[in-house]
Amino acid sequence: MTERELLSLVVEAADDKKAIDIVVLNMEGISLVADYFVICHGNSDKQVQAIAREIKEKAHEQGISVKRLEGFEQAKWVLVDLGDVVVHIFHKDERGYYNLERLWGDAPFVSSEELQL
């Protein structure tokens, strides 16, 4: 599976669980952690967990291992590490506080057209 296909899978899984304001940042050459960050949020602990669970399940269905899943129980900021793609799922109250889009402001956004959604 290519990175773009993985990004599409992640964005579609998040969208299936009604994730809000899904943003994809191209981190190539900016971060050593991953090539892409996907950032979104949910309105409740349950929704944040449902988004993370859906991404994990869809990845497993495609034979992609989740390298790390952090913050699931607290559901304030869940990190799903899929290798070259890292997903940050925030509770709505936490997203503005951490504001990763501003922190990584030099990273270009990837549009849904680029992902062929």
Side-chain angles (χ1 to χ4, degrees):
M1 178 174 272
T2 69
E3 284 181 339
R4 293 297 171 130
E5 290 170 334
L6 179 57
L7 282 171
S8 292
L9 179 134
V10 166
V11 169
E12 287 175 15
D15 188 57
D16 285 349
K17 294 300 177 183
K18 309 293 187 230
I20 300 164
D21 195 16
I22 303 169
V23 172
V24 179
L25 299 178
N26 183 337
M27 302 300 290
E28 293 175 303
I30 298 170
S31 171
L32 299 175
V33 175
D35 289 342
Y36 295 93
F37 281 176
V38 177
I39 305 166
C40 63
H41 73 272
N43 286 322
S44 67
D45 294 359
K46 297 273 188 217
Q47 185 182 17
V48 168
Q49 290 172 335
I51 295 165
R53 192 177 299 111
E54 184 74 3
I55 291 168
K56 180 182 172 187
E57 288 173 4
K58 294 295 182 186
H60 281 236
E61 287 173 10
Q62 295 299 316
I64 300 163
S65 65
V66 174
K67 296 179 182 357
R68 198 169 63 212
L69 178 69
E70 294 182 11
F72 185 82
E73 293 303 319
Q74 297 82 11
K76 300 302 178 197
W77 179 357
V78 178
L79 182 134
V80 183
D81 183 351
L82 300 168
D84 291 334
V85 176
V86 173
V87 187
H88 302 270
I89 309 159
F90 288 97
H91 189 284
K92 69 177 179 179
D93 299 332
E94 305 295 318
R95 185 170 184 176
Y97 178 78
Y98 289 103
N99 201 357
L100 292 187
E101 294 95 321
R102 193 182 96 241
L103 179 66
W104 296 102
D106 49 344
F109 287 82
V110 178
S111 70
S112 58
E113 291 81 26
E114 291 178 77
L115 298 176
Q116 299 175 345
L117 295 175

